[in-house]
Every structure is written in C-alpha cells, then in structure tokens.
C-alpha cells in the first residue's frame, strides 16, 4: 500500500520517503500531554502518505521538546513520516497562525488538526477517500466528547441531513437557516448517529454541516482559491471563528461536508484561547450579507 506506515521490523531501515499526499498542520501552544496523544493518533494511521508540520507558540519551553512528544515524533519518523518543528512567535491570533502553517504546506491536501484531537486508526484514509470521491473543497470529522457517550440527545440529532450524490457549493452566513445544524456536533451525537444508522465497517456517509472544528481536510487548491486565512491581516489578534470563516469561503465555491462516523475524539482539555471577544465570521462577512 502506497504510503503505508512502516512496521516495527522496518523502523531501522533507510528508505527514500514517499511524497506526502497530505500535510497535517498542527498549531500548538502550551500543551504537552494533549499534543503527545494527538501525535499518537497520527502514528496509528496506515495511509495515505503524510507529513506533519508542528508550529509552536508556547510561552516558555517548546511543547515538542517534551519527552512524551519527542517519543511520538521519533515513532512517526521511524514509520517514514517527516515531522517538521517550527516556533512561531509573537502571537498574532489563531488566524495568522493557521495562515503561517498553510504557507508551509505543498501537498495536494492539508489537514488542519487541533492539538487536542485523537484520531481513530483509519480516519486519515477515510477522509482522503471521501475528499477524492466527493471532489469538494473539504471534508471533516467533528470531534466527539466521549464523556457524553451515555448522554442521548435525539432532538439535536434531528437536523442530520446526508448528501445524496455530489456535494454542491452552499452559501453560509451568520444567522442563516443552515446554522440550525450546529447542535449536531455537540456532545457525542455523531457516535449515536453512527450506531443508529448501522454504518458498515470502513464505510462513510457525507452530510451537510454548518461548520466543523478541529479536524478538517482541505483540497489545498480550494483553500488557496478562497484566500485561506489571509483575513488575519485586518483582524484583531484576540478572536475565534477563523476556521468558520475559511470553511464558509470554501463552501461558497466548492462545497464541504462532514463525515460519519467521526473517529475524531476531543480530549476535552481546557482551551488555550480563553479570551475570544471577536467572532471572525461576523467580521469577515459583515459587508457580504
């Protein structure tokens, strides 16, 4: 299998790396345990070929210098995946950080993965297969909080709407009717939906989203065409919603979809960006109702 990870018996071999089909872009700041878990999830992915780019905005010692993180980096490298470590200071907001990461990428697809997400084995292949099959701008796995595994919320799952056939562009704006889809990604709703729909092994189903946080695989050309996160230049440093604004711009042009089952687990750690006075999707689309 092209891009499959090397098994333990092959870790000491010297081989030419396979060109990555995906650049996994991880912004991080002040997290060690969570970042190590995130990298461990990537180390369990078999294919396609990928490279990892870590950009660290920690105030003191870089997170990637911690022993647990270094151990997972070594595993990834032994498996044949390049891992790039970058320090990126001063902080100018998460939108600027994501744009910086995007500018380091050149693979056909880019996965923006938050540093507190564990991926089930096979998730990367599922996302890649879906993106190629659907030929849309992005697909994503909405992270699920498994502390809510026994918290059933059928009223929040009622808005589930699968895509039938091709994924088409959608116009998303603040306050639009599609925002009623937001509760679908709360708690462990997608886990319960996958159970109810009896998803086949290794199968997936695309569905309509308002937006997806934490784990989004873009067709790189589609994100570039939409301007990526360049709106950071006219944005205040303290903000949130940068991923929403970028996704909506891509959805305007190429469409986007969520995937069921998710396979992305949120570690439910405290946020590293507690002060978020501005939602960038309100600012970016203020003059484009």
């Amino acid at each position: 299998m092209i891009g499959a990870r090397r098994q333990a018996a092959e870790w000491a071999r010297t081989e030419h790396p396979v060109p990555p089909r995906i650049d996994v872009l991880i912004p991080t700041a002040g997290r060690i345990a969570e970042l190590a878990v995130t990298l461990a999830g990537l180390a369990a992915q078999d294919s396609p070929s990928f490279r990892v780019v870590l950009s660290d905005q920690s105030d003191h010692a870089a997170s990637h210098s911690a022993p647990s993180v270094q151990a997972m980096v070594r595993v990834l490298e032994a498996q044949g995946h390049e891992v790039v470590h970058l320090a990126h200071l001063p902080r100018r907001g998460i939108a600027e950080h994501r744009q910086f990461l995007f500018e380091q990428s050149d693979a056909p697809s880019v996965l923006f993965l938050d540093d507190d997400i564990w991926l089930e084995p096979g998730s990367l292949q599922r996302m890649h297969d879906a993106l190629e099959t659907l030929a849309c701008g992005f697909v994503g796995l909405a992270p699920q909080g498994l502390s809510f595994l026994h918290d059933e919320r059928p009223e929040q799952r009622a808005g589930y709407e699968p895509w039938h056939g091709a994924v088409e562009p959608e116009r998303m704006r603040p306050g639009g009717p599609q925002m009623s889809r937001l509760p679908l990604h709360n708690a462990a709703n997608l886990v319960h939906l996958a159970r109810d729909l009896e998803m086949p092994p290794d199968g997936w189903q695309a569905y309509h989203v308002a937006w997806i946080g934490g784990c989004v695989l873009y067709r790189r050309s589609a994100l570039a065409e939409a301007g990526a996160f360049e709106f950071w230049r006219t944005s205040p440093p303290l903000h949130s919603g940068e991923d929403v604004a970028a996704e909506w711009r891509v959805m305007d042009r190429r469409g986007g979809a969520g995937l069921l089952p998710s396979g992305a687990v949120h570690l439910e750690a405290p946020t590293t960006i507690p002060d978020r006075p501005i939602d960038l999707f309100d600012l970016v689309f203020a003059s484009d109702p």
Side-chain angles (χ1 to χ4, degrees), residues 28-175:
T28 190
R31 282 178 167 159
I32 295 175
E34 294 89 348
L35 180 58
V37 171
T38 298
L39 295 176
L42 288 173
Q45 306 300 312
D46 281 317
S47 62
S49 57
F50 65 89
R51 178 179 71 132
V52 179
V53 183
L54 285 170
S55 180
D56 200 329
Q57 291 192 325
S58 299
D59 291 327
H60 303 294
S63 301
H64 66 245
S65 65
S68 58
V69 173
Q70 278 293 301
M72 289 300 98
V73 168
R74 294 185 192 108
V75 169
L76 284 162
E77 292 175 337
Q79 290 174 341
H81 306 294
E82 181 185 3
V83 180
V84 178
H85 310 251
L86 301 169
H88 186 57
L89 290 170
R91 297 187 187 188
R92 300 182 180 90
I94 186 61
E96 188 275 341
H97 201 183
R98 292 192 188 279
Q99 180 64 27
F100 171 77
L101 273 164
F102 181 66
E103 291 169 358
Q104 314 311 307
S105 69
D106 54 18
S109 302
V110 295
L111 173 64
F112 275 96
L113 183 66
D114 283 0
D115 62 355
D116 58 352
I117 306 295
W118 176 84
L119 289 180
E120 174 193 31
S123 294
L124 205 61
Q125 184 67 62
R126 185 157 69 244
M127 282 190 288
H128 186 263
D129 289 347
L131 189 65
E132 294 301 300
T133 300
L134 298 170
C136 56
F138 70 82
V139 297
L141 302 179
Q144 300 293 281
L146 294 190
S147 68
F148 298 92
L149 192 58
H150 303 295
D151 181 357
E152 296 276 355
R153 303 183 182 187
E155 72 285 353
Q156 294 187 354
R157 305 198 297 269
Y160 181 74
E161 182 184 357
W163 280 100
H164 298 290
V167 171
E168 302 290 344
E170 290 188 279
R171 182 178 173 83
M172 308 292 294
R173 293 297 183 269

Side-chain angles (χ1 to χ4, degrees), residues 172-183 209-211 244 248 281:
M172 308 292 294
R173 293 297 183 269
Q178 301 96 331
M179 296 300 282
S180 63
R181 303 167 184 168
L182 278 175
V209 296
W211 62 282
V244 184
W248 285 0
F281 55 86

